[in-house]
Amino acid sequence: VAILNLPYNRRATELLLACGHSINTAEASPSTAAIGAAPPGGICGDAFVGRCHDDEVKDVWERVDFTVEEADPRAEWCDVARKQGGG
């Protein structure tokens, strides 16, 4: 199933790539995107980026501040996310 007529979201796609996901650039298109966590051609439309603390042992789940500066593909958390078990 495809979503049509949504603008290509360059910033969200850059974060996706910085975190170690891959895209199929042959399918990248400003008018189509697959439904799923990592679309084949990148992200189209709006994207929500956030952070949470999740500790299943202590039964804790809470949102944590995520600053505009951290929405940068060169941010340290992207390096951590690329590592095995990092995200």
Side-chain angles (χ1 to χ4, degrees), residues 22-23 34:
S22 59
I23 61 171

Side-chain angles (χ1 to χ4, degrees), residues 34-70:
I35 294 174
I43 296 174
C44 291
D46 294 339
F48 174 82
V49 179
R51 174 183 291 148
C52 71
H53 173 165
D54 186 4
D55 185 333
E56 293 182 18
V57 173
K58 295 180 181 176
D59 194 26
V60 173
W61 189 97
E62 61 187 358
R63 286 196 173 126
V64 181
D65 286 342
F66 186 86
T67 66
V68 171
E69 292 79 19
E70 292 171 302

Side-chain angles (χ1 to χ4, degrees), residues 1-4 6 8 16 24 27-29 31-45:
V1 177
I3 301 171
L4 301 177
L6 292 175
Y8 186 73
L16 177 89
N24 181 347
E27 294 185 35
S29 166
S31 62
T32 63
I35 294 174
I43 296 174
C44 291

